[in-house]
Amino acid sequence: MPRSSKALQQKPSSLTDDQGWTHVIRGAHNIRKPTKTPSLNDSPNISPAKVTEGQQRYAALWSSSACCHQLRMILEQEIPLTHNLQMDKCVCLGLGSFTDGRTSSKHQLATLTWMLGILSQKHTFQAVLFQDPAFTASDVAYLESLGHHVLESPLAFDQIDESTFLFAPHLEANVYAAALEKKVPALVVGSNVTELIGRPISSGVDEAQRVRENSIFCCFSDLTLSEPMPQYDRDTWCYYTNIYRRQDMRSERSCDHS
Ligand SMILES: C[S@@+](CC[C@H](N)C(=O)[O-])C[C@H]1O[C@@H](n2cnc3c(N)ncnc32)[C@H](O)[C@@H]1O
């Protein structure tokens, strides 16, 4: 029986470091959960119950869409036929604040929540981790009310491994590269890396950094299979977004970007 992220509410052991941060250690993944309130963006305080009410509308829009239906076929039929994906953790990067009026973030959260429900039929997610410096206190309170964890950047990057489902729509290229630099996750929803490799170099961009990012994206592309997200008629967020899956789940192949 798969464990939902709610099941993570059990009492973990913890460590407090010399700066006063409490790091929660959970199972094999040593997931660190900062319990000191990080410097969150100012915004009106919205209760988790109020956010839930709003999210229900986005969830209903999503689940009645053709995009949802097509994604279900991909997740339940297409990918399992060719790939024995193994996932035990979800990392969500750069969702943006969904209590700050951003519609795309609300749509993305509705899709992510739905995907976790579908994937949990076959996979046991030990943790669902979020990282975005733009989160408000209300975002954090809502995510934590669902049993998820919000990490301070850059802690979430270190949690990404071959058993991760990475949900990272429309990340800035440098943040996306940092997420993909060390390990190739099992499943990724994120920007089309081919578009990023071909992007023009604009002024003020460090060329060596750009070469490094392109090397990360090329390697990631080599080690995965991808297809475009089905298009969503209620929002534009699925544009330029792909679903990637690791090509060979048995191998720990990765790239050297040093
Ligand atoms: C282009 S916005 C995309 C927001 C939303 N996903 C969307 O599609 O509308 C990129 C997001 O990445 C976030 N971000 C920046 N640095 C980050 C980091 N180190 N880790 C996670 N997210 C980060 C930004 O705060 C912002 O919310």
Side-chain angles (χ1 to χ4, degrees), residues 94-95 103-113 167 169-170 237:
L95 188 68
T103 321
S104 279
S105 303
K106 292 174 186 163
H107 282 294
Q108 289 165 10
L109 181 58
T111 304
L112 172 60
T113 304
F167 188 84
H170 298 190
W237 81 262

Side-chain angles (χ1 to χ4, degrees), residues 93-96 102 104-105 108 131-134 153 157 169-172 175:
L93 299 177
L95 188 68
R102 292 189 49 81
S104 279
S105 303
Q108 289 165 10
Q131 175 177 293
D132 192 324
S153 183
F157 298 128
H170 298 190
L171 269 190
E172 289 97 344
V175 183

Side-chain angles (χ1 to χ4, degrees), residues 65-77:
S65 71
C67 183
C68 171
H69 178 70
Q70 287 163 33
L71 188 57
R72 181 189 285 276
M73 302 284 278
I74 294 171
L75 295 178
E76 288 187 339
Q77 293 175 25

Side-chain angles (χ1 to χ4, degrees), residues 46-112:
I46 309 171
S47 70
K50 195 87 198 142
V51 183
T52 304
E53 231 178 87
Q55 275 305 126
Q56 279 168 352
R57 203 164 63 80
Y58 289 88
L61 281 175
W62 168 257
S63 58
S64 62
S65 71
C67 183
C68 171
H69 178 70
Q70 287 163 33
L71 188 57
R72 181 189 285 276
M73 302 284 278
I74 294 171
L75 295 178
E76 288 187 339
Q77 293 175 25
E78 191 184 315
I79 294 179
L81 269 184
T82 51
H83 281 72
N84 180 25
L85 292 182
Q86 320 229 331
M87 285 175 273
D88 60 13
K89 190 192 320 166
C90 171
V91 174
C92 174
L93 299 177
L95 188 68
S97 173
F98 46 87
T99 57
D100 219 8
R102 292 189 49 81
T103 321
S104 279
S105 303
K106 292 174 186 163
H107 282 294
Q108 289 165 10
L109 181 58
T111 304
L112 172 60

Side-chain angles (χ1 to χ4, degrees), residues 150-196:
V150 179
L151 301 186
E152 280 277 284
S153 183
L155 291 179
F157 298 128
D158 286 340
Q159 300 295 335
I160 297 170
D161 62 21
E162 292 88 354
S163 305
T164 299
F165 161 37
L166 174 65
F167 188 84
H170 298 190
L171 269 190
E172 289 97 344
N174 62 324
V175 183
Y176 198 24
L180 301 176
E181 183 169 7
K182 292 187 186 142
K183 301 279 170 63
V184 178
L187 188 70
V188 177
V189 171
S191 297
N192 179 338
V193 293
T194 309
E195 302 273 347
L196 292 173

Side-chain angles (χ1 to χ4, degrees), residues 200-246:
I201 296 194
S202 47
S203 62
V205 170
D206 175 345
E207 207 171 325
Q209 172 64 17
R210 174 60 61 84
V211 170
R212 188 178 164 73
E213 286 170 9
N214 281 356
S215 149
I216 293 167
F217 294 140
C218 285
C219 172
F220 173 71
S221 180
D222 283 352
L223 296 178
T224 53
L225 292 176
S226 77
E227 60 192 289
M229 270 292 277
Q231 288 311 309
Y232 189 32
D233 58 359
R234 319 287 161 88
D235 189 73
T236 56
W237 81 262
C238 294
Y239 287 124
Y240 307 109
T241 302
N242 277 11
I243 308 167
Y244 292 91
R245 53 203 194 259
R246 263 172 75 88

